[in-house]
Amino acid sequence: MFSVAVIGPDGAGKTTITRQLASSGELPIKYLYMGINIESSNVALPTSRLIEWIKKLRGRRSGAPRPAGTSLHQRSSGSGKSRSRLWALVKLCNRLAEEWYRQYLSWRYRRAGAIVVYDRHFKFDFEREESRNGERRPWTDGLHRWFLARLYPAPDLVIYLDAPAEVLYARKQEASIAYLEARRQAFLRQGKVTRNFITVNANQPYETVYAEVVRHIKNFQQTRRR
């Protein structure tokens, strides 16, 4: 069979649609979460769950602000800098292992005859990721994006759920309107260089959006059979 990635900014409805696709029984679909939120993942390596536990233990959830009163010099000097680099390298190695583990599962599901539907996808979430609020990112992020762009397999079909940034913000008020608009533009730029990239207007009633997604998957399935 083939793989389908349903992507879009926060609030576009990716998870709701992909889970309904998997539960509807209308198509032989296998759901696979392809994002970094371990708590949302339906599959994950034990090491990924361990790293997430360590991050929580340290009170350093992904994206959380640094403790007040911590200076740049304190964060980057001496043994603290070495530990930080080592920790970044450990996280990168585990992230690569996690991504290939999920890709292996995708290949296995497809060999068994399933259409694998990805809830988001690493390539589109990270390959051209923008910094939020201008924050400085670890050196491993650039290496990770290069790996995704050059080596990681792309989905066979990509369905991008698009809506104005103001609409997305009203649905899920976790990121700023400016950040959501930047993500929209990043997705659209990727669409121009991605094969089988389809944009669906997510600023419609949910039933309409879902029906359109199903139609595109069925059309692609027919094309593959021919």
Side-chain angles (χ1 to χ4, degrees):
M1 282 290 188
F2 57 92
S3 60
V4 182
V6 179
I7 65 172
D10 293 344
K14 303 177 294 294
T15 300
T16 304
I17 285 180
T18 51
R19 288 183 176 174
Q20 183 173 347
L21 284 168
S23 62
S24 68
E26 188 173 357
L27 291 165
I29 284 175
K30 191 73 175 179
Y31 170 91
L32 191 59
Y33 180 83
M34 294 287 266
I36 64 165
N37 189 337
I38 298 302
E39 293 180 353
S40 299
S41 302
N42 61 323
V43 294
L45 291 172
T47 51
S48 298
R49 300 196 185 280
L50 175 61
I51 287 176
E52 187 68 16
W53 178 80
I54 293 173
K55 286 165 62 178
K56 289 181 180 180
L57 189 65
R58 297 171 65 187
R60 299 280 289 276
R61 289 178 182 270
S62 179
R66 295 186 182 277
T70 303
S71 69
L72 179 62
H73 176 74
Q74 287 174 318
R75 292 198 303 263
S76 60
S77 62
S79 60
K81 185 175 182 180
S82 298
R83 287 195 299 269
S84 178
R85 287 181 174 178
L86 178 60
W87 178 241
L89 184 59
V90 168
K91 290 194 295 182
L92 173 62
C93 292
N94 183 78
R95 179 167 288 175
L96 296 178
E98 181 69 56
E99 290 164 354
W100 277 110
Y101 170 62
R102 297 190 202 183
Q103 183 61 42
Y104 160 75
L105 291 177
S106 175
W107 285 329
R108 193 178 74 178
Y109 296 153
R110 291 171 61 183
R111 284 197 298 269
I115 299 172
V116 182
V117 171
Y118 302 143
D119 177 357
R120 68 200 70 211
H121 195 272
F122 300 117
K123 282 182 69 71
F124 297 92
D125 280 349
F126 288 101
E127 185 179 319
R128 301 183 184 181
E129 185 183 33
E130 302 290 339
S131 295
R132 187 180 299 197
N133 299 326
E135 65 181 355
R136 184 178 180 182
R137 295 188 175 278
W139 62 272
T140 50
D141 280 14
L143 183 58
H144 183 220
R145 289 196 296 272
W146 179 91
F147 164 80
L148 291 173
R150 303 289 183 178
L151 302 176
Y152 201 68
D156 297 309
L157 174 66
V158 180
I159 298 178
Y160 166 55
L161 305 179
D162 188 36
E166 294 78 9
V167 173
L168 298 169
Y169 179 78
R171 293 178 181 176
K172 195 173 183 180
Q173 299 180 11
E174 295 181 357
S176 68
I177 293 177
Y179 178 79
L180 291 170
E181 181 60 29
R183 295 299 296 138
R184 284 187 67 237
Q185 296 306 319
F187 283 125
L188 292 171
R189 287 194 299 271
Q190 286 173 305
K192 294 178 180 179
V193 295
T194 301
R195 294 181 56 191
N196 302 321
F197 187 99
I198 297 172
T199 299
V200 172
N201 179 10
N203 192 23
Q204 304 178 86
Y206 173 78
E207 294 76 11
T208 303
V209 177
Y210 178 78
E212 191 170 341
V213 170
V214 172
R215 177 171 59 83
H216 286 305
I217 294 175
K218 288 183 175 180
N219 289 344
F220 190 77
Q221 183 183 33
Q222 292 299 322
T223 300
R224 297 273 292 195
R225 286 175 176 172
R226 288 196 297 267

